[in-house]
Amino acid sequence: DAGITQSPRHKVTETGTPVTLRCHQTENHRYMYWYRQDPGHGLRLIHYSYGVKDTDKGEVSDGYSVSRSKTEDFLLTLESATSSQTSVYFCAISAGQANLRPLHFGNGTRLTVT
Amino acid sequence: KNEVEQSPQNLTAQEGEFITINCSYSVGISALHWLQQHPGGGIVSLFMLSSGKKKHGRLIATINIQEKHSSLHITASHPRDSAVYICAVRGNQFYFGTGTSLTVIP
């Protein structure tokens, strides 16, 4: 199994508070992704990173920011959490963008914003 | 618009039955992935394929690039196969289906 650890696994927070989710990998993979998973939707890309300090927005990036200061860590921050950000968040990693590079997922973080 | 459509959305089977889950996509792709997610669990990659057919144990995945269609088959299904199966395609980005929830009854 790919070495991906997400923390925390569960988080309950109040509307308006900042929240940071962490994704840590031990694979030295270049690409890291943050997705959210909601009922009735496929996994939706929030942000991704293609290297240290290199990040870009996905389709649902509003209200989220990311940082990647080290290859192994990719942080997702909700500056001011809203109830619409209640979701399960998955981090994924990939060795590259080449055609047959697999995508490995973390175990997810269940975030509830009250 | 959904670039990836899966059918059925929900599926209940008796243990031992042969199961087929279908995936159709509308974008040009370089690879297609089948993923498995157990309740409350993480997401595991089952297959990655760009042509033809692959087999792992009781699982078989096929893809028809011309028809933009893939199928995941489970032979001799078992209750431990109960999970959500997700189809994902690699175009200029990853696109994901909404998943097929499979329940196998003993």
Side-chain angles (χ1 to χ4, degrees):
Chain A
D1 287 345
I4 312 170
T5 304
Q6 289 186 232
S7 58
R9 290 295 313 277
H10 302 272
K11 175 80 175 177
V12 179
T13 192
E14 293 184 349
T15 298
T17 60
V19 177
T20 295
L21 309 183
R22 181 182 184 233
C23 178
H24 178 80
Q25 60 143 331
T26 58
E27 305 297 317
N28 200 36
H29 282 359
R30 180 181 175 192
Y31 287 84
M32 299 185 76
Y33 308 82
W34 276 109
Y35 291 94
R36 60 179 289 173
Q37 186 180 45
D38 303 289
H41 294 272
L43 288 157
R44 293 183 290 174
L45 182 65
I46 305 171
H47 282 278
Y48 69 99
S49 170
Y50 46 96
V52 173
K53 297 187 179 179
D54 290 324
T55 64
D56 207 347
K57 297 179 179 180
E59 63 178 301
V60 291
S61 60
D62 287 348
Y64 302 95
S65 62
V66 291
S67 66
R68 191 168 178 200
S69 59
K70 299 184 290 185
T71 298
E72 58 266 35
D73 289 326
F74 192 32
L75 304 180
L76 177 70
T77 297
L78 291 65
E79 301 290 348
S80 178
T82 67
S83 58
S84 64
Q85 293 176 311
T86 293
S87 186
V88 180
Y89 292 85
F90 285 96
C91 174
I93 66 173
S94 175
Q97 293 284 70
N99 296 353
L100 296 182
R101 295 289 190 174
L103 196 60
H104 301 286
F105 288 86
N107 286 327
T109 295
R110 183 173 295 276
L111 176 67
T112 302
V113 183
T114 61
Chain B
K1 63 176 171 70
N2 293 324
E3 290 82 359
V4 180
E5 298 281 355
Q6 289 184 235
S7 63
Q9 288 189 339
N10 298 284
L11 181 57
T12 300
Q14 289 292 131
E15 183 173 358
E17 286 186 6
F18 181 86
I19 290 164
T20 296
I21 300 170
N22 295 299
C23 174
S24 296
Y25 54 91
S26 59
V27 295
I29 71 166
S30 54
L32 182 142
H33 300 247
W34 281 103
L35 310 170
Q36 181 192 56
Q37 184 177 25
H38 283 284
I43 299 170
V44 176
S45 179
L46 297 174
F47 292 102
M48 180 176 58
L49 64 166
S50 58
S51 65
K53 176 179 175 179
K54 285 191 175 181
K55 184 175 187 289
H56 289 158
R58 295 180 295 105
L59 302 179
I60 303 167
T62 64
I63 187 169
N64 185 317
I65 296 293
Q66 287 73 30
E67 295 186 2
K68 295 188 174 180
H69 182 268
S70 175
S71 292
L72 176 67
H73 305 287
I74 304 175
T75 62
S77 59
H78 189 277
R80 65 175 175 266
D81 297 326
S82 298
V84 174
Y85 293 84
I86 301 169
C87 173
V89 300
R90 178 76 170 92
N92 59 351
Q93 65 178 61
F94 281 101
Y95 300 94
F96 297 85
T98 55
T100 294
S101 179
L102 171 65
T103 301
V104 181
I105 300 170

